[in-house]
Amino acid sequence: MPLRNPLEGAAELCRLDAAALTTAYRNRTLSPVEVARAAMARAEAVNPELNAFTFIDHEGALAAAGASEKRWAEGAPLSQVDGIPTTLKDIVWVNGWSVRYGSATTPARPYGEDAPSVERLRKAGAVFIAQTTTPEFGWKAVTDSALFGVTRNPWNTQKTPGGSSGGAAVAAAVGAGVFHLGTDGGGSIRVPASFTGIVGHKPTFGRVPAHPASAFGTVAHIGPMTRSASDAAAMLQAMSGRDIRDWAQGAGVLASLDRPAEIDLAGKRIGYWSTPASGTVDPDIAAVVDAAVARLSSAGAQVEPITLPAEGLLDLFHHHWFTGAAARLSAIPEADRASIDSGFLEIARAGAAYSSTALVLAQVRRGDYGAAMDRLLAEYDFVVSPGTALPAFDAGLEIPAGSAFARWTEWAGFSFPINLSQQPACVIPCGFTPDGLPVGFQIIGARGADAGVLSAAAGLEVMFSR
């Protein structure tokens, strides 16, 4: 299958970022209505081939866009992202939408409440144009389900876009909207960002409130997926804040999201994490990322190789992820389980087999590892790594064909450790494999340091594009 630019065929309106759109709205040279129409037309055009959307909300989007157009005309926008076309993953509650979690076991009925992240985006004036695909319950790092089918990578439709926020990544890559809400419990924002050549930011845990609580607990994050770091920062600003429905946020106050204009790499101490917590790095990925890291050194950064301050992280993550799956499955009547993804059922059975003592010990181990990561990020300004250890592989598979892996977690060794420790991590594109598939570059900062991570991402995306 020949490779192509995902934006090929997209209207010029679909290529603009949030800042360009809101400037045009303010100047009355563009209308949120015409931009919403263009974004939905783009979604409709690509969906038969890529299968990234569960539905497109024409009526609701045009009504919201019309209200935004009126506010801009009156000089009273709700925020600096008022009127920005936005997609929402089929895993967060949206008032008036049917949210299925990618599963036929979830009733097809409209919800009467927004999740906190959705509520904040709505109050900021974001225009919700469509819902994006996820695997069943967001359980794996590729995107396919019995309910909605296989989602495909726009660079090469034979390949997966990754997951579980695969539909959101495709929507971003092809220009069907500007903001895209993703969730990340083990890499579900960063893996598809890496596979599709977009920007995906997993925030510090608690930065974006969540309700209802995820069955996967405090490894699960909500964050932005966009085509640029500046758009990711703008979307994150709109979604962030305290919400008393989310007890897991805690009572503390996170550092401001105000970003410095530019990060000067000269003198920065950067740790290069090049060995994943599981699996090995594909040589083509290693070559591209090594070259990107060399550019950091050329810019004056002090780059040092590091290893993570713990062993057995795959087993530790499995204790948390698999027991989360068991908890999710326990809420589904036995008679309704016949259609559920067999892989999900397998990890749920494995999770149910863990003893309560083993789970508590895993929580203690996680605390020790998280504290060690905090100490590591106190020594380094940033830690960087490949976004994924391998390029996108064939769509419809959990693991690459012919590999020795048993589960997706085994090839996602640059992702899940940062869910366990809850630091912010942003993936940006940094090049291509010899086959023309995107390669991602991950930037990790101390907990709370999302602003610095996104500033670094913005500077590096410019560096890597030259």
Side-chain angles (χ1 to χ4, degrees):
M1 185 75 183
L3 296 171
R4 58 190 178 185
N5 185 330
L7 286 173
E8 181 181 343
E12 188 59 34
L13 289 183
C14 296
R15 300 167 185 260
L16 300 177
D17 65 9
L21 287 175
T22 54
T23 297
Y25 296 162
R26 184 178 299 108
N27 296 337
R28 307 289 298 278
T29 56
L30 281 179
S31 156
V33 172
E34 62 183 311
V35 172
R37 284 193 173 123
M40 289 187 287
R42 180 64 174 158
E44 287 185 319
V46 303
N47 208 44
E49 184 177 32
L50 301 178
N51 191 37
F53 305 97
T54 65
F55 81 101
I56 300 167
D57 188 5
H58 291 274
E59 183 178 354
L62 291 177
S68 176
E69 179 179 69
K70 182 178 179 181
R71 290 191 294 270
W72 281 106
E74 294 171 347
L78 294 175
S79 75
Q80 288 305 302
V81 300
D82 199 337
I84 300 301
T86 300
T87 72
L88 305 170
K89 182 179 177 181
D90 179 33
I91 216 163
V92 293
W93 288 4
V94 185
N95 188 14
W97 286 12
S98 174
V99 180
R100 307 293 301 277
Y101 295 83
S103 179
T105 67
T106 308
R109 57 175 175 79
Y111 279 75
E113 179 183 356
D114 284 334
S117 53
V118 175
E119 180 181 83
R120 287 175 175 271
L121 288 167
R122 194 188 297 274
K123 287 181 177 178
V127 173
F128 303 149
I129 62 167
Q131 186 180 65
T132 55
T133 52
T134 181
E136 198 157 23
F137 310 123
W139 80 271
K140 58 186 176 181
V142 294
T143 302
D144 59 73
S145 68
L147 181 62
F148 292 117
V150 178
T151 300
R152 298 181 178 276
N153 194 314
W155 291 91
N156 180 337
T157 57
Q158 291 181 353
K159 304 298 182 183
T160 179
S164 64
S165 305
V170 173
V174 301
V178 177
F179 291 166
H180 309 274
L181 187 149
T183 64
D184 189 318
S188 290
I189 286 172
R190 292 159 293 147
V191 167
S194 189
F195 281 2
T196 62
I198 66 159
V199 174
H201 183 74
K202 180 191 77 67
T204 300
F205 182 81
R207 171 74 73 184
V208 179
H211 172 77
S214 170
F216 294 104
T218 58
V219 298
H221 302 59
I222 297 170
M225 304 177 73
T226 60
R227 290 189 301 279
S228 71
S230 61
D231 278 349
M235 185 180 182
L236 182 61
Q237 182 81 59
M239 289 195 294
S240 297
R242 185 75 178 92
D243 191 296
I244 60 174
R245 290 171 289 180
D246 184 359
W247 177 83
Q249 274 189 301
V253 177
L254 286 170
S256 168
L257 282 170
D258 291 339
R259 298 165 60 211
E262 186 176 339
I263 289 281
D264 184 358
L265 291 176
K268 297 294 185 188
R269 192 177 182 205
I270 296 176
Y272 181 20
W273 169 33
S274 60
T275 302
S278 58
T280 58
V281 184
D282 181 278
D284 291 337
I285 298 290
V288 174
V289 176
D290 283 348
V293 170
R295 299 187 71 176
L296 305 189
S297 296
S298 298
Q302 179 185 346
V303 180
E304 303 171 8
I306 66 159
T307 57
L308 294 189
E311 296 180 352
L313 290 175
L314 180 63
D315 174 71
L316 179 59
F317 182 72
H318 283 173
H319 274 75
H320 289 79
W321 195 250
F322 291 3
T323 54
R328 186 68 179 84
L329 184 64
S330 71
I332 301 170
E334 188 76 41
D336 296 339
R337 298 179 184 180
S339 67
I340 293 177
D341 188 319
S342 61
F344 178 82
L345 293 175
E346 288 168 9
I347 69 164
R349 284 194 290 269
Y354 288 128
S355 70
S356 57
T357 300
L359 180 57
V360 170
L361 289 173
Q363 292 166 345
V364 172
R365 288 168 54 206
R366 181 186 179 188
D368 291 341
Y369 163 65
M373 282 295 289
D374 281 345
R375 292 193 295 272
L376 179 71
L377 268 301
E379 294 180 26
Y380 290 91
D381 294 286
F382 304 105
V383 167
V384 299
S385 77
T388 55
L390 42 66
F393 51 87
D394 288 351
L397 302 177
E398 180 191 349
I399 58 175
S403 73
F405 300 130
R407 291 262 81 100
W408 67 267
T409 48
E410 295 174 34
W411 57 258
F414 284 118
S415 299
F416 67 76
I418 313 304
N419 294 83
L420 288 168
S421 56
Q422 302 185 336
Q423 280 85 19
C426 188
V427 165
I428 63 173
C430 69
F432 296 88
T433 68
D435 291 333
L437 292 170
V439 176
F441 187 88
Q442 181 168 233
I443 307 146
I444 304 161
R447 284 195 292 173
D450 298 78
V453 168
L454 286 164
S455 288
L460 291 176
E461 71 183 354
V462 172
M463 177 188 291
F464 296 156
S465 67
R466 292 174 181 153

